[in-house]
DNA sequence: CGTTGCCAACCAACTAGATAGTTGCTACCT
DNA sequence: AGGTAGCAACTATCTAGTTGGTTGGCAACG
């Protein structure tokens, strides 16, 4: 699974090679077919696992959305795997709409947290919780490894990272303040 | 070139098929090799052409960034090709940094326009022009066809589109107001 | 004008290598 | 003895890129 994750994150569904995955994992190819079915299936499994992982890893706190956004910036920076997997999924599998039905499970509690913060006047109610969440994710992706303009890299100057974090925090504040 | 653009936008570099491109264009494969060199080269050409096209199609006016963001939303909606090409480029070719050196050419005037608006107090100077531009692009991509959460589709309810446009405009205002 | 020679555009068919998925046998465990 | 996990080798298909010959246009020539 780890080998497959790395392979799919790097090359995508069309670019990934089953032989390479098996070799990297030190596993026989036929065995992996017995375990995971075909390539598409393996990709779906890898993606589902990562979806669950990130929801746990970066819990959303509706009362501190700016912090959430900055934590996501650092998370993408440290490990581009998640963003890349999700983006491959979007491009190769799901061209429009919600990226994965499975997201609804993880989304529920997050949206509730935002709704709560709204009810207590900590977050603006200009946006519905799904809209606010979409804005937060979008903002966090500004310098992401899937960005269309400049993508942050770990070896960028640390002062640059600091500045981006500050900008993200500030922009989030302005966006989500009542 | 048009056939190649459609093919690459849909399938990416690894997923695109030279035979399919040639067939769609009603052109012999050997001929396309004579004209464009290999697949990589063709992809680079397609991408460069689109880069030039969009800069012309959606000129940036530093004095009305909210409008720029909304125009981009509509542009992506009408034709996902550009976003998809750029995202493939990012995932398959340029994992970090500026997506394309060629962008610098188009970027120059845009950044100047922002700097001018800043000098006249229409846009905040909390951000440098490149930072402001990156934020604007990031914001415009919130519901883009490469979004990791929900991607807008032409057949979404029109009221939904209206709402998203309003949100983008409002958020841009808050972000870029002095 | 018709003919010839030349060159560039054109293309059907081919090649070499890759690639997802399978098979039939072996070894091990219970 | 029976069944399960494991695997080397195989297959059918696909795919980027090439080849060697053909056609059509054009200009010089007779």
């Amino acid at each position: 699974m780890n080998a497959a994750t790395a392979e799919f994150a790097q090359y995508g569904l069309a670019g990934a090679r089953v032989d390479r995955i098996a070799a990297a994992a030190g596993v026989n190819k036929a065995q992996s077919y017995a375990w995971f079915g075909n390539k598409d299936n393996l990709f779906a499994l890898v993606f589902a696992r990562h979806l669950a992982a990130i929801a746990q890893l970066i819990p959303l706190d509706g009362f501190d959305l700016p912090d959430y956004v900055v934590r996501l910036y650092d998370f993408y920076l440290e490990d581009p795997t998640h963003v890349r997997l999700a983006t491959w999924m979007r491009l190769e599998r799901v061209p429009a709409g919600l990226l994965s039905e499975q997201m609804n499970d993880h989304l529920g509690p997050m949206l509730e947290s935002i709704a709560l913060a709204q009810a207590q006047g900590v977050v603006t109610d200009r946006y519905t919780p799904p809209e606010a969440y979409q804005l937060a994710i979008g903002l966090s992706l500004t310098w992401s490894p899937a960005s269309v303009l400049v993508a942050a890299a770990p070896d960028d100057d640390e002062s640059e990272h600091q500045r981006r974090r500050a900008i993200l925090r500030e922009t989030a504040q302005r966006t989500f303040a009542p």
Side-chain angles (χ1 to χ4, degrees), chain A:
Chain A
M1 281 294 273
N2 292 342
T5 304
E7 177 79 9
F8 282 127
Q10 185 163 10
Y11 301 104
L13 187 48
R17 295 296 166 242
V18 176
D19 286 291
R20 211 155 39 194
I21 293 173
V27 154
N28 187 276
K29 190 164 56 143
Q31 201 55 41
S32 86
Y33 271 89
W35 289 336
F36 302 117
N38 59 17
K39 189 179 167 184
D40 272 32
N41 207 275
L42 180 54
F43 180 71
L45 283 169
V46 162
F47 180 72
R49 213 183 56 153
H50 251 253
L51 211 54
I54 194 187
Q56 256 197 323
L57 218 63
I58 321 268
L60 176 140
D61 173 7
F63 289 82
D64 198 351
L65 287 174
D67 185 58
Y68 180 66
V69 170
V70 171
R71 281 197 337 262
L72 282 177
Y73 173 85
D74 283 323
F75 176 69
Y76 304 150
L77 193 64
E78 188 194 322
D79 181 11
T81 304
H82 179 75
V83 178
R84 291 182 61 94
L85 279 179
T87 308
W88 288 118
M89 184 73 162
R90 172 62 79 201
L91 289 178
E92 304 195 276
R93 280 291 196 77
V94 186
L98 182 65
L99 184 59
S100 154
E101 287 303 324
Q102 195 199 342
M103 279 181 160
N104 278 322
D105 306 342
H106 308 294
L107 238 48
M110 298 198 182
L111 299 185
E112 272 171 42
S113 172
I114 293 177
L116 193 67
Q118 286 178 318
Q120 300 194 14
V122 177
V123 166
T124 177
D125 56 4
R126 286 189 298 277
Y127 320 122
T128 66
E131 288 164 354
Y133 188 63
Q134 183 103 15
L135 281 171
I137 294 292
L139 183 58
S140 76
L141 289 168
T142 302
W143 283 280
S144 87
S147 157
V148 153
L149 204 55
V150 173
D155 55 319
D156 289 345
D157 217 57
E158 179 54 29
S159 63
E160 195 60 38
H161 292 308
Q162 297 281 354
R163 219 180 130 65
R164 290 181 191 144
R165 289 189 197 102
I167 290 173
L168 291 176
R169 191 173 280 114
E170 160 112 27
T171 306
Q173 252 153 20
R174 281 176 191 272
T175 303
F176 298 115

